[in-house]
Amino acid sequence: MRKELEHLMLSPIEWHMAADGPVVRMLDQSRLPHEVVWIDCRDHQTVAKGIKELWVRGAPAIGIAAAMGVALGVQPIRATHYEEFARQLKPIRDTLAATRPTAVNLFWALNRMNNVVQHHKGQPVETIKSILIKEAQAIHEEDVQRNRAMGDHGAELIRSGDAILTHCNTGALATGGHGTALGVIFTAWENGKQVKVFVDETRPVLQGARLTMWELQQNKIPATLITDSMAGAFMKKGVIRLCLVGADRIAANGDTANKIGTYSVAVLAKAHKIPFYVTAPTSTIDFSIANGDKIPIEERNPDEVTNVFGKVRIAPNNVDVANPAFDVTPAKYITGIITEAGIFKPGELKRKLGGKKT
Ligand code: MRU
């Protein structure tokens, strides 16, 4: 039986034509699940702030935001010549590029926007501006299509009755719509497979507790919230059949950067002989990086660790804190990588996808 999931139409970011000009409209995920607040960004600086402060987050959604940020940022440029336009575009790009270093989708999207500008060098500046809006919208639409394709490939791995463990948030909220790893679960559910999801809370920013649980609840999919440290115990009990996570950057050899805590899940899965799959669009694969050692890891504000949700302090004052937002899971722990082009073993990525344009 095919179920219709209305929530799957959700997109956390939209290009919108307001009465006073174009805006990038973002669902402020830092306030979910308690408040559903949309923010209209009227300039690229606000888009950059939104990426930095996690109003919009998740690798594919960050890429879409960056592309829309460029499209928005160029609109006030009054240049008549291409060279002047390109000169004024650079700081816009630089501001967006300086937001978050790990998710390669950000740089992928900025490069794609840049290539479009260069390709249309001979066109009037006003035409290039319109083309950039269309390109940002295309990046958004293509992301949803890729997610749907990943959902179709990945759902084949799921059997009715499976309990699936996931980490962080990889749903509609983290993408242009539908999601990556959570999108696979949504597709399986749409196809009538009865699944149950175990959701790691995902300390310290709690994307699992706040966002994944919210999405699963909206879609009425059975889910159990656990703390990150409980994952091993549930695996040992034999409760978990499959682990599905997303990715922020996959190196050419398949090593995968994803939300901090993913590595622990992967090692535990291997120890308990549970398949561990990464789900990511090919735009998340960085073939310029040979292995995971070279992936830049974002270090975030210590307050995320010392305080719960920025409010209640749980640690003594003046303590030393580390807060890497991501870790790298070596390819040897990854059973397969689900992409829009199919499912691959980490070692196959370069040979099978290395030469393809995404
Ligand atoms: O810091 P975040 O919330 O942007 O981190 C998100 C993740 O780590 C996701 O797992 C990853 O971006 C894949 S999202 C489809």
Side-chain angles (χ1 to χ4, degrees):
M1 183 192 51
R2 206 173 157 80
K3 300 180 185 120
E4 286 309 320
L5 297 179
E6 216 174 277
H7 171 67
L8 295 183
M9 301 312 290
L10 172 84
S11 166
I13 183 160
E14 290 291 349
W15 180 267
H16 181 73
M17 213 50 206
D20 58 347
V23 297
V24 175
R25 186 165 280 178
M26 290 178 186
L27 176 57
D28 181 356
Q29 300 187 34
S30 69
R31 304 206 212 182
L32 283 173
H34 303 300
E35 290 175 277
V36 179
V37 176
W38 291 85
I39 298 179
D40 281 350
C41 306
R42 292 193 150 71
D43 50 51
H44 70 276
Q45 290 93 343
T46 313
V47 174
K49 183 174 156 70
I51 297 172
K52 253 192 171 141
E53 299 192 2
L54 311 184
W55 304 344
V56 64
R57 31 75 39 211
I62 291 171
I64 296 164
M68 289 187 180
V70 169
L72 188 65
V74 297
Q75 297 309 312
I77 295 180
R78 292 287 159 256
T80 43
H81 293 99
Y82 175 83
E83 281 67 28
E84 178 55 18
F85 177 75
R87 195 186 63 74
Q88 292 195 42
L89 169 62
K90 189 174 179 307
I92 297 171
R93 229 181 24 238
D94 291 349
T95 302
L96 291 158
T99 51
R100 298 193 72 191
T102 306
V104 75
N105 308 61
L106 172 79
F107 307 98
W108 170 86
L110 290 175
N111 280 342
R112 188 161 147 175
M113 296 297 274
N114 211 32
N115 290 343
V116 162
V117 172
Q118 284 172 6
H119 187 75
H120 293 91
K121 196 172 176 172
Q123 303 277 328
V125 167
E126 291 307 312
T127 308
I128 300 178
K129 287 188 197 175
S130 310
I131 292 170
L132 285 173
I133 296 176
K134 288 205 180 74
E135 190 69 10
Q137 288 171 320
I139 288 174
H140 186 187
E141 281 157 27
E142 286 166 25
D143 184 62
V144 181
Q145 287 162 15
R146 288 174 197 229
N147 294 340
R148 282 283 176 188
M150 285 187 275
D152 290 340
H153 294 303
E156 295 290 318
L157 302 169
I158 296 177
R159 300 190 294 249
S160 217
D162 277 352
I164 303 161
L165 183 112
T166 190
H167 191 75
C168 196
N169 171 267
T170 59
L173 290 170
T175 64
H178 194 70
T180 58
L182 204 55
V184 168
I185 294 172
F186 289 150
T187 301
W189 183 260
E190 282 182 306
N191 292 346
K193 292 183 183 170
Q194 284 301 318
V195 293
K196 180 179 166 113
V197 189
F198 280 79
V199 179
D200 279 352
E201 65 170 349
T202 317
R203 277 277 291 156
V205 180
L206 304 174
Q207 289 93 335
R210 296 188 301 108
L211 308 177
T212 302
M213 287 306 287
W214 184 74
E215 287 200 51
L216 288 165
Q217 191 177 52
Q218 299 270 317
N219 289 311
K220 302 187 175 55
I221 299 175
T224 302
L225 176 63
I226 58 173
T227 68
D228 302 338
S229 53
M230 293 174 190
F234 281 99
M235 290 186 194
K236 186 159 170 268
K237 267 188 176 174
V239 172
I240 311 290
R241 221 279 297 161
L242 180 69
C243 296
L244 284 177
V245 300
D248 284 81
R249 193 185 294 230
I250 302 173
N253 71 342
D255 290 353
T256 294
N258 190 48
K259 179 54 55 197
I260 191 78
T262 303
Y263 170 54
S264 313
V265 174
V267 174
L268 283 166
K270 185 102 177 168
H272 294 91
K273 300 188 171 51
I274 297 168
F276 177 93
Y277 282 88
V278 169
T279 311
T282 48
S283 54
T284 305
I285 307 173
D286 184 352
F287 285 109
S288 75
I289 286 189
N291 62 59
D293 296 346
K294 304 273 178 346
I295 299 178
I297 300 293
E298 176 185 9
E299 183 72 23
R300 289 189 63 84
N301 192 325
D303 291 355
E304 290 178 352
V305 177
T306 54
N307 294 41
V308 175
F309 218 34
K311 292 181 184 118
V312 182
R313 189 160 180 106
I314 49 172
N317 291 327
N318 306 318
V319 289
D320 188 32
V321 176
N323 188 15
F326 303 96
D327 57 27
V328 176
T329 300
K332 66 178 179 187
Y333 295 107
I334 299 170
T335 313
I337 299 178
I338 304 165
T339 73
E340 73 275 16
I343 305 177
F344 302 97
K345 293 208 182 323
E348 293 177 328
L349 288 182
K350 202 160 180 192
R351 187 165 46 86
K352 298 215 167 150
L353 296 174
K356 285 215 175 106
K357 262 202 163 314
T358 59

